[in-house]
Amino acid sequence: MHRARHFAFGRPRAFPVVGLGGVEPWRELLLHRQLSLGRGPRDADLLVLSGEIPTDWGNTLRALFETMALPRLVLYVAPGADTDPLPGLPPGYTASSVEGIDWTLLWERLLDSQGPSARALLADQPPTPWRGRGDHGQGGEGMMGGTPYGRPMAMTMEDPDQLALDDVPTALGPHFPGLPSGLYLGLRLQGDRVRQCEGVENRFPSQSPPPGSGHREPALRARAREAVPVADLEQARLRSHLGWLADLLDLCDRPGLAMRLREARKDLDSHALRRLLDRAESRQLYYQTRNIGVISSAQARQWRLAGPVARASGLKLDTRNHDPAYRELGFQPVVERGGDVWSRCRVRIRECYQSLDLLDRAGDAHTRAPEGARGSFLDTAGGGLDTPSARNLAALQPGLAGLEWHEAVLFVGSLDLDTEEAAWR
Amino acid sequence: MNYGPVNWLAPPLALVLVILGVAWLAWVNRLAGDLARGRVSLETLMGPPRDMLRDLHKEFRLTERPDLALWLGAPLLLLTLTMAALTVLPLSPDWVGADSSVGVVFFTAMFALTLVAAYWAGWGPNSKYPLIAGYRFVGLMLAYEMPLAITVIAVALPAESLSVSSIVATQQAAYWNALTQPLGLVIYLLCALAVPFWGPFNVVNAPELAGGALVELSGAPKLLWRFGQYALLLTTSAFAVPLFFGGGAGPWWPAPVWSLVKILLVSGALVALGHGLGRLRLDRFMWWAWVVLIPLSLLNLFLIGLLILIWPGLAGK
């Protein structure tokens, strides 16, 4: 029995929550052969807390962990970590890096049926009492709308075809698989169509960019008027775009190609990457993403969108275009006119090819163009930092209305939002 | 009806064959997935039994106020429908659970009732994402059911019978339907993927719904649901053999062996194909089904009718 249990959880499934600086450790962990990706928390054995988790996420994470079926464990991966991050969660397994994980010890803790992870964290009772009159304790027959007993109830509303349909309040996030952690979207659904996005919330706390901010670092250094090697900037862009493309392919149910892209992004081998990018830019992806979440160039300008998102809507916004080093390399910004998810894919895929070409030619050229993978880092009027992710968040609320659920998820994914970056001031 | 001596053995034998068939499909699915990832290893072989044991050792956790009867009934219904449909599948003229004169109507009716199982799985856990998954399957089913039914009628036309055994016998006397109705075969195979919501049609357990109907399911009921889905895929593929590939026809081996080999090949090919196609958008599929597939299946029906009128030998006359 013990052996069978050990065998059964030999490749535990993980569900990620990505905190500050946690994107890269999570992507590294995803490639590990001892681990597989769970589709949701119920499907997972490990709640992976990657990076530094904001302390005010404690309640949400406790509820998330409580939805996980036994056996379960919190795996905390963050550089320099030596204690469990959140007091509300049971002590799990802590590692400073993926290589530092002792898998035997991890399995031992995961399969410990008397351990702290096996105990209930929350009382097994409804969040608010049920006192309704219906057969199953619901609010009462014939009642619609409002929030009886703390539970929002559907109210019929007219849909675009003038049909009276239930209008169901629901949420996307703050920890939805495949989308950035900390992004919470309050939605009203009719069937599986989003009638309205009521609110967008980034749950990362506002702060200054920490030193060593991963792929964004070269662009941030350039923003500080430091001359940065073009090769550094383009490698960072390439890695970021490839990571984004892999996540989007996962959402399109193409995990095989997504995994190959994640592996290829480790060493950026030009030949292998070009082959994979050719495969990714397929008719299949075109049919899966075309005409979804269209943003016109006027809307892109009005919402002050940045980077590939703006360029996919026909705006030639790229600070590299005015940089002498890039001009010398013959740089031309990649622009598409469709404004849909497919155009955003095309822009990023073509920018990957462009980065590979620039890496071949760049030599030791240096630049001061603060153009990161998601767009340019600008200064606000008060001298603060205006990040591309913060600007692109503006597209969510107006852009989600009218989309079907799968379109909504692809639309959010296509914006390549970095919620940690969006909280930088 | 066939009440031959083999019938009392049929239920346990069918169950054993379904279990072996599901194990085969789980392994092919794993192999296709690992080939796509470039990660074929010993884990490719060990993965399916590991997943099974994992589900068995995982706790079944309740949601708040679920409709337990429907939630737990969904995988049972899926499996029951599968086994019921298999009763009219002939492995040979003697190896058939119930050689009904309306076998074709019976198994398509069982396939249609999959809708109920998928909707129960969506409704039962009292959770939003599974509920959306349940809604979506209704849309998918309405789109594929008409082309499936018309294609099956076209297959029954040369036999002038709704008995699956008669359809096999007609093909063995003349030509396989795969040769005379290639268009029908393609439409049937597409529907054979759609009925168990597999591969491009996986709108029920979709990643953009964090697993859809499976998002709240864990433990043994989840294993049963996955088993039911595989078994349904095995069944829809299995019916392609008597409908299009001449049933147990083939040299050297006895008819049941040929039937089983063909079933394993067709079902394995469909599972692998599911990995290669990528998922379809539901809105696009519905457009395709209503605007393209239904007219094409009607065209197939018209063509085969015309061919039989011109050339009765096509129907073995």
Side-chain angles (χ1 to χ4, degrees), chain A residues 312-388:
Chain A
S313 294
L315 301 187
K316 214 172 173 180
L317 290 179
D318 196 321
T319 50
R320 291 174 293 173
N321 203 20
H322 312 293
D323 183 80
Y326 273 100
R327 274 189 184 169
E328 217 161 280
L329 290 167
F331 173 81
Q332 281 292 323
V334 175
V335 177
E336 289 279 330
R337 310 226 165 258
D340 56 359
V341 173
W342 168 244
S343 300
R344 294 190 271 281
C345 290
R346 283 266 296 170
V347 165
R348 290 198 184 91
I349 291 172
R350 285 175 59 199
E351 285 191 354
C352 285
Y353 287 120
Q354 187 182 51
S355 294
L356 287 170
D357 292 340
L358 286 168
L359 281 170
D360 287 342
R361 296 200 306 267
D364 63 347
H366 281 61
T367 176
R368 287 190 168 81
E371 188 74 26
R374 295 176 181 84
S376 54
F377 289 90
L378 305 175
D379 296 321
T380 60
L385 178 60
D386 186 10
T387 66

Side-chain angles (χ1 to χ4, degrees), chain B residues 214-263:
Chain B
L214 286 176
V215 72
E216 303 286 7
L217 205 57
S218 59
K222 183 181 167 193
L223 178 65
L224 203 59
W225 175 260
R226 287 178 51 228
F227 183 87
Q229 195 188 1
Y230 272 119
L232 191 56
L233 177 60
L234 183 74
T235 309
T236 56
S237 325
F239 274 100
V241 173
L243 296 185
F244 289 96
F245 295 106
W252 310 307
W253 298 336
V257 176
W258 265 115
S259 288
L260 290 175
V261 168
K262 289 178 189 175
I263 288 169

Side-chain angles (χ1 to χ4, degrees), chain A residues 255-312:
Chain A
L257 187 54
M259 187 58 83
R260 282 179 186 259
L261 276 169
R262 284 192 186 102
E263 276 181 352
R265 112 186 236 285
K266 276 195 298 192
D267 49 11
L268 299 184
D269 172 51
S270 175
H271 180 66
L273 274 177
R274 284 175 197 276
R275 206 158 30 87
L276 288 172
L277 288 168
D278 275 349
R279 278 182 60 191
E281 196 181 8
S282 58
R283 292 200 74 76
Q284 201 175 334
L285 189 64
Y286 167 70
Y287 283 121
Q288 284 177 315
T289 55
R290 69 171 172 162
N291 294 334
I292 291 178
V294 178
I295 299 172
S296 67
S297 54
Q299 285 171 320
R301 202 171 290 116
Q302 185 193 344
W303 300 336
R304 293 184 61 242
L305 300 185
V309 179
R311 293 196 283 276

Side-chain angles (χ1 to χ4, degrees), chain A residues 34 52 113 195 213 236 247 249 258 264 294 325 338 376 386 406:
Chain A
Q34 289 291 2
E52 190 189 326
S113 54
R195 186 181 66 79
S213 298
D247 290 346
L249 286 168
V294 178
S376 54
D386 186 10
H406 75 277

Side-chain angles (χ1 to χ4, degrees), chain A residues 7 31 39 42-43 169, chain B residues 50 54 128 205 216 222:
Chain A
F7 173 71
L31 288 175
R39 283 210 160 169
R42 189 87 68 178
D43 185 40
Chain B
R50 194 195 292 285
R54 182 181 171 278
K128 284 167 190 161
N205 305 328
E216 303 286 7
K222 183 181 167 193

